[in-house]
Amino acid sequence: MKDPVLEKAAVSELARQRGTINLIPSENYASKEIMALLGSPLINKYSEGYPGKRYYPGNALYDTIETLAAERIKKVFRLGADWHVNVQPYSGSGANLAAYLALMQPGETLLGMGLAAGGHLSHGHRVAMPGRLFHSVQYGLGSDGLLDYIEIERMAIQHQAKVIVSGVTSYPRALDFAKFGHAAKKAGAHHVADISHIAGLVAAGLHPSPFPHADVVTSTTHKTLRGPRGAFIACRKDFADRIDRVVFPGLQGGPHNHVTAAIARMGFEALRPDFKKYQKQVLLNAKALAVALIKRGFRLVTDGTDIHLMVIDCSPIPLGGMEAETLLEAAGITANRNAIPGDASPFYPSGVRVGTPAVTTRGMKERDMAAIAGFFERVLVLKEKPASVKKEVEAMMKKFPLYE
Ligand code: DSN
């Protein structure tokens, strides 16, 4: 039976994705195989519980799939028998909440990175549940605009932190997980590393691994890992029961089996040699884009990047992040407005966040990053009409086919 409204929406969304330069660092394009699993009969089954202990019949296949997904994640991150992986969290925020609830009591202290510094809402911001359930203390950046690990350790000890969370959504520099682990030890706290953004880089060995220095590692699966929308929690074996119990039945009901299967497929893809090649190109493209933007006079937060993303400070242009985001979208470029250090409003911030995972999946290389920087200059600085730039963007994207 036809549903023309939704069919038209899906067709026009595919056209939008094909014709757009997508620089939102948390987005990517999952493979056709992953999308097929997400739309497969696996969506029809309830499997509350865990492999070997389900609360519904008919789950032999789902035990196999869930075990495979967890085993592949362990392989992707080179984890030994002392680690356990739970692939059931519906999202990254839920995975973080589950990790905190497994490691501390409501009212105890959660030390996480502030939003404007580059942290995530689920790292203790007052508007999200972890910031309300726990006594949230937020760290920022040092006077050089970089993480000040001595200060983080001092805060952890002063506030008797029970959990220190490391991880970023817009801080463009590599994280020193060893220093976070050290601070946690000194304070008698647990270290939760949220690697949602950088998981693909960690898997490829292109960013230092948090695993030797953390008790629990959480991640989404749809960013640099290029899997389905979903999440996982990896924890040291000692915490396995607590983590599993908080995820189900504590916070969730039945796992989304179609997502679990797609996570298993993501693991399969991440274990192939071309995955590392892809992650290397993500980094090369990010470096090239940062250099090209700086050459054209843009100011980047911390003056560059070590990872897959960077943040443009739009205030010298002068533009607000919202205006810049709107102009770029009208030119066929998606990059999201983002708070930068010192900003008070996440709705009207001064920055625009830019990343390379999605354009690298489309097949773009360093020379294309230089062209993108040129589009930015024309739209944001030279104030050329976005509609005329959009035509060039659409023509350019025809060279990088998507789902054809
Ligand atoms: N919303 C994601 C991001 O864009 O970074 C984090 O959850």
Side-chain angles (χ1 to χ4, degrees):
M1 207 185 302
K2 279 203 164 284
D3 180 343
V5 178
L6 282 181
E7 276 169 30
K8 201 170 151 217
V11 167
S12 70
E13 172 55 8
L14 178 57
R16 185 195 70 79
Q17 290 189 16
R18 282 181 171 153
T20 301
I21 297 176
N22 184 10
L23 296 167
I24 296 173
S26 47
E27 294 183 5
N28 212 328
Y29 306 102
S31 67
K32 282 184 178 171
E33 290 78 7
I34 283 177
M35 293 201 300
L37 285 164
L38 293 172
S40 71
L42 300 175
I43 65 168
N44 295 327
K45 187 77 196 90
Y46 255 117
S47 309
E48 282 179 10
Y50 288 101
K53 191 177 178 214
R54 302 288 187 183
Y55 292 81
Y56 284 78
N59 269 304
L61 171 70
Y62 298 94
D63 282 6
T64 306
I65 290 173
E66 191 171 331
T67 305
L68 182 68
E71 283 307 315
R72 282 189 178 161
I73 285 181
K74 284 174 78 170
K75 245 195 205 146
V76 165
F77 292 101
R78 300 166 291 281
L79 303 179
D82 51 336
W83 282 85
H84 167 75
V85 173
N86 183 313
V87 290
Q88 293 196 6
Y90 301 147
S91 74
S93 293
N96 283 344
L97 180 58
Y100 308 148
L101 286 169
L103 297 174
M104 64 178 163
Q105 297 301 315
E108 291 187 316
T109 299
L110 169 67
L111 179 63
M113 193 177 198
L115 203 62
H120 189 249
L121 286 173
S122 65
H123 295 175
H125 192 283
R126 64 181 186 285
V127 299
M129 203 40 85
R132 297 162 69 163
L133 271 182
F134 303 104
H135 172 236
S136 172
V137 178
Q138 301 251 272
Y139 55 85
L141 303 169
S143 53
D144 56 359
L146 301 174
L147 279 172
D148 179 347
Y149 294 96
I150 294 171
E151 174 62 5
I152 292 169
E153 183 173 317
R154 191 198 62 72
M155 289 173 82
I157 293 167
Q158 182 197 335
H159 296 283
Q160 298 177 315
K162 265 279 164 348
V163 167
I164 303 179
V165 57
S166 61
V168 300
T169 62
S170 62
Y171 180 74
R173 294 293 173 182
L175 294 182
D176 192 333
F177 290 117
K179 287 192 177 146
F180 277 109
H182 184 264
K185 253 194 202 109
K186 283 277 177 184
H190 295 297
H191 176 201
V192 174
D194 171 358
I195 60 167
S196 294
H197 263 269
I198 56 168
L201 304 177
V202 171
L206 300 171
H207 185 291
S209 172
F211 289 94
H213 313 291
D215 302 297
V216 175
V217 177
T218 63
S219 182
T220 50
T221 46
H222 49 273
K223 298 186 174 86
T224 45
L225 279 178
R226 213 164 45 179
R229 294 201 92 83
F232 68 85
I233 304 174
C235 65
R236 291 188 185 273
K237 269 269 157 73
D238 294 351
F239 302 113
D241 282 349
R242 282 197 255 166
I243 291 282
D244 284 354
R245 263 202 295 267
V246 171
V247 173
F248 171 83
L251 291 171
Q252 299 184 179
H256 292 175
N257 291 309
H258 53 312
V259 177
T260 307
I263 290 176
R265 169 73 200 194
M266 175 198 83
F268 172 82
E269 292 176 13
L271 289 165
R272 290 167 47 89
D274 52 356
F275 179 79
K276 186 160 184 178
K277 215 167 128 201
Y278 161 70
Q279 300 294 342
K280 274 188 180 155
Q281 192 62 49
V282 166
L283 285 184
L284 288 172
N285 284 349
K287 285 263 184 278
L289 186 54
V291 167
L293 286 168
I294 289 169
K295 243 193 210 152
R296 288 179 186 271
F298 289 97
R299 195 191 92 73
L300 300 187
V301 172
T302 78
D303 298 322
T305 179
D306 297 328
I307 54 173
H308 62 296
L309 66 82
M310 65 214 76
V311 183
I312 300 173
D313 176 2
C314 298
S315 44
I317 298 178
L319 279 178
M322 170 86 99
E323 288 170 282
E325 178 189 274
T326 306
L327 286 168
L328 288 167
E329 188 177 359
I333 300 169
T334 49
N336 64 293
R337 65 189 189 277
N338 208 98
I340 64 171
D343 274 349
S345 164
F347 200 76
Y348 295 108
S350 316
V352 163
R353 189 178 64 152
V354 172
T356 53
V359 289
T360 306
T361 297
R362 295 291 293 267
M364 287 191 171
K365 297 276 173 12
E366 291 93 316
R367 63 177 174 279
D368 306 305
M369 301 302 111
I372 290 174
F375 292 142
F376 270 68
E377 185 182 31
R378 286 166 58 191
V379 174
L380 301 181
V381 182
L382 304 175
K383 302 283 168 9
E384 208 176 306
K385 283 216 162 44
S388 65
V389 175
K390 188 174 187 194
K391 284 203 180 88
E392 286 178 47
V393 166
E394 282 171 350
M396 180 184 186
M397 294 318 285
K398 287 210 168 83
K399 291 186 275 168
F400 302 99
L402 178 67
Y403 301 132
E404 276 171 9

